[in-house]
Amino acid sequence: MPSPTIAFIGLGYIGLPTAVVMANHGLKVTGIDINAANVERINRGEVTIVEPGLEEQLQKAINSGNLKATTEVVHADVYILAVPTPFKDDYEGDLSYIMAAAENIASQLVGGELVILESTSPPQTTEKMAQHILTLRPDLVADGAENPENKPVLYFAHCPERILPGYAMEELITNDRIIGGQTPRATEIATEVYGSFCTGELLPTDDVTAEMAKLTENSFRDVNIAFANELSLIADKLGIDVWELIRLANHHPRVNILQPGPGVGGHCIAVDPWFIVSADRENSNLIRTAREVNDGKPEWVINKVRDAAGSAPQPVVAALGLAFKPNIDDLRESPAMDITQRLAQELPGATVLAVEPNVSALPAKLEGIGNLEFDTYENAIERADVVVLLVDHEDFKAVPATALAGKQIVDTKGIWR
C-alpha cells in the first residue's frame, strides 16, 4: 500500500518541524499556511522559527521533493491541523482557527480521508471540528455513524503534540505519542501515519481522552511550577534564598521541586489548564488556583523592580529576556514580555531596555512605547541602574560578576546568586 499524502495546515512552531520530519521519513507532505512570506521562505529552505537542527532538515526535505509549502489548500489522504488555540477573556477556548481550517479543507474532501487535529484543544473539540465539516459536507459521513445511504466516509482523530521547543527535531521522533481516533479504524489509520516516523510508543485511545491527556500533562507541570513560585513568595517574605531552600528539600529521595521564575509562558502550560477549568469549573479548584499563582507572579516581579529602582527620578532598567523559555525565540504567552511592557508603562520616568538575543528586532507588542528600547545585553547592562533577569538564556549565564557591580539586581531565575 503506498504511503498516504499529507496536508499539514499551519507551519508554525509545531507544524513546520513535524512536516519536515514526516517528509524526511518518506511521506509526501504539502505544508499549508496563510502567511505567504513564510511560505516563500520555507520553499527556499529558510527557517521561519528558531529550532536547533531544523534548517538543515528543512533543506533536505525541500531538496528531496517530499515537502513543498503553499497558501492554497490541496487534496490529500491525511489532513493534520496544527493551528493556534488561544483562550478568550473568560478563559473559554477560542476555536475559530480550528473551524476556519476545517472550512478550508471541507471542499477538498471526497471520502476516505483522515482529519487529525494536533492543536491542543478543550475536551470534545475534535468532535466539534468533525461536526462542522459534516455540516458543510452533508454528502459525507463520519466513520461509525449510521450510514443507510452509503455515503463516503471520513475519519477523525486527535493526536496531540508533546514536544519541547529547542528539542523538537529529536522529540518528534522519540517521544511516545497518543493516538486518539473517534473510531478504532481512525485510530488504526492515524497509527500508521505516526508510525512512519515515530520510534516512541504509540498509545491508542479515543479522541476526548487524547484531548484531556495533553491538558493533564501540562496542568500537572503548571501545578508543580505554582508550588515553586508560591514558595518563592513565602521565602522572600521570610528572608530565605528560595533556590537554596529547594536544593535542600530536593535531597529528600521522594521530593523533586521545580524552579521558580517570573511566571509561566508558552502556548501550552500557560493556556491548557484553563481548558480543563472551563470544562468543569466546579471540580477544578487546584488547577485554577495554580494558574492564579503563576499568573500573579509577574506583579510580584514588577514590585521588586519598583523597589530596586527606589526614588531615582529617571532609572534605566535592563529587562533581560523576552521569550517564554531559554534559548528560543518563542514569545507566546511570555511573562517576560508582559513584565517588560508593564515596566515601561508603569515606572514613571524610567527607560526600559528590552533584550532578547534570539530575535532581531523589538516585537510588535512592544513597538510604539516611547520609553522602551531594543538593545544588546552587553550595552543594556552597562547602561542600567537595575538589571532584571527574566529568562535564563545561556548568553546571560555567561555575564561576568564585574559587569553587574554596582547595579541593583532582580534575578527571577537564580542564575547570578
Side-chain angles (χ1 to χ4, degrees):
M1 179 178 177
S3 298
T5 56
I6 310 292
F8 216 105
I9 315 296
L11 295 175
Y13 287 94
I14 301 302
L16 181 57
T18 310
V20 166
V21 167
M22 285 183 163
N24 285 335
H25 281 77
L27 297 174
K28 290 289 186 180
V29 183
T30 302
I32 301 164
D33 199 277
I34 60 174
N35 188 319
N38 279 355
V39 164
E40 290 179 7
R41 290 178 61 190
I42 290 166
N43 283 328
R44 292 196 300 266
E46 300 173 5
V47 294
T48 53
I49 60 173
V50 173
E51 182 62 51
L54 176 58
E55 186 164 40
E56 179 184 353
Q57 291 297 311
L58 171 61
Q59 291 171 358
K60 178 181 176 182
I62 293 293
N63 292 337
S64 72
N66 283 347
L67 175 65
K68 62 180 180 180
T70 179
T71 58
E72 302 293 327
V73 178
V74 300
H75 181 264
D77 301 315
V78 178
Y79 290 89
I80 303 177
L81 279 57
V83 295
T85 48
F87 55 75
K88 303 175 185 177
D89 291 341
D90 60 358
Y91 297 120
E92 295 284 341
D94 179 356
L95 307 184
S96 60
Y97 294 94
I98 293 174
M99 296 309 168
E103 291 167 10
N104 287 335
I105 69 174
S107 63
Q108 297 288 336
L109 303 174
V110 298
E113 296 92 349
L114 169 66
V115 181
I116 298 173
L117 180 61
E118 276 203 6
S119 303
T120 305
S121 312
Q124 301 180 325
T125 299
T126 305
E127 173 62 22
K128 292 175 182 177
M129 176 194 70
Q131 289 302 318
H132 190 53
I133 289 174
L134 294 170
T135 298
L136 296 170
R137 293 295 306 274
D139 55 314
L140 303 173
V141 66
D143 183 42
E146 293 185 7
N147 190 13
E149 300 177 29
N150 200 29
K151 296 178 181 179
V153 172
L154 297 177
Y155 302 90
F156 298 94
H158 184 74
C159 303
E161 58 78 20
R162 19 168 40 180
I163 59 173
L164 183 65
Y167 300 89
M169 305 313 291
E170 175 185 351
E171 291 197 350
L172 277 167
I173 296 169
T174 60
N175 282 3
D176 296 344
R177 195 83 189 215
I178 297 171
I179 311 292
Q182 286 196 329
T183 61
R185 179 56 182 155
T187 301
E188 182 182 346
I189 301 170
T191 298
E192 292 174 0
V193 172
Y194 288 94
S196 67
F197 67 92
C198 181
T199 62
E201 186 176 358
L202 303 178
L203 307 167
T205 187
D206 63 83
D207 56 316
V208 182
T209 304
E211 291 164 340
M212 190 64 178
K214 175 61 184 293
L215 303 180
T216 299
E217 292 165 7
N218 286 325
S219 296
F220 173 84
R221 297 190 64 211
D222 196 46
V223 169
N224 282 273
I225 295 169
F227 180 70
N229 276 335
E230 190 164 278
L231 278 180
S232 74
L233 305 180
I234 297 167
D236 181 68
K237 194 165 188 177
L238 297 176
I240 295 171
D241 182 332
V242 68
W243 288 278
E244 174 71 0
L245 172 66
I246 291 173
R247 185 186 70 82
L248 294 171
N250 280 347
H251 274 272
H252 188 288
R254 288 172 294 281
V255 173
N256 184 22
I257 303 168
L258 302 181
Q259 299 298 302
V264 174
H267 180 61
C268 293
I269 299 178
V271 176
D272 296 359
W274 288 121
F275 291 162
I276 295 180
V277 173
S278 66
D280 185 354
R281 295 183 184 276
E282 180 182 358
N283 294 308
S284 53
N285 297 318
L286 177 62
I287 295 170
R288 183 184 63 250
T289 300
R291 269 288 75 229
E292 291 168 351
V293 168
N294 288 332
D295 278 351
K297 193 68 186 293
E299 183 70 30
W300 180 85
V301 175
I302 290 166
N303 288 332
K304 282 292 178 185
V305 176
R306 188 178 283 115
D307 292 342
S311 58
Q314 295 180 313
V316 177
V317 178
L320 303 190
L322 298 175
F324 83 83
K325 67 181 293 290
N327 308 317
I328 62 171
D329 67 340
D330 195 339
L331 309 179
R332 291 176 297 174
E333 308 296 332
S334 171
M337 190 153 69
D338 290 340
I339 289 167
T340 300
Q341 180 183 40
R342 287 187 57 191
L343 287 173
Q345 294 170 337
E346 298 177 19
L347 288 183
T351 297
V352 176
L353 308 176
V355 176
E356 178 47 69
N358 294 296
V359 301
S360 58
L362 200 64
K365 181 177 180 178
L366 301 183
E367 289 180 346
I369 302 175
N371 62 331
L372 194 154
E373 305 172 20
F374 191 65
D375 208 343
T376 65
Y377 73 89
E378 299 96 338
N379 196 46
I381 291 173
E382 182 178 349
R383 294 172 61 188
D385 303 303
V386 181
V387 179
V388 191
L389 192 286
L390 297 171
V391 187
D392 47 340
H393 291 311
E394 290 298 325
D395 289 343
F396 304 155
K397 291 180 181 179
V399 172
T402 54
L404 302 173
K407 313 288 184 181
Q408 292 292 316
I409 306 298
V410 178
D411 181 359
T412 71
K413 302 298 290 186
I415 69 171
W416 292 334
R417 294 167 51 237

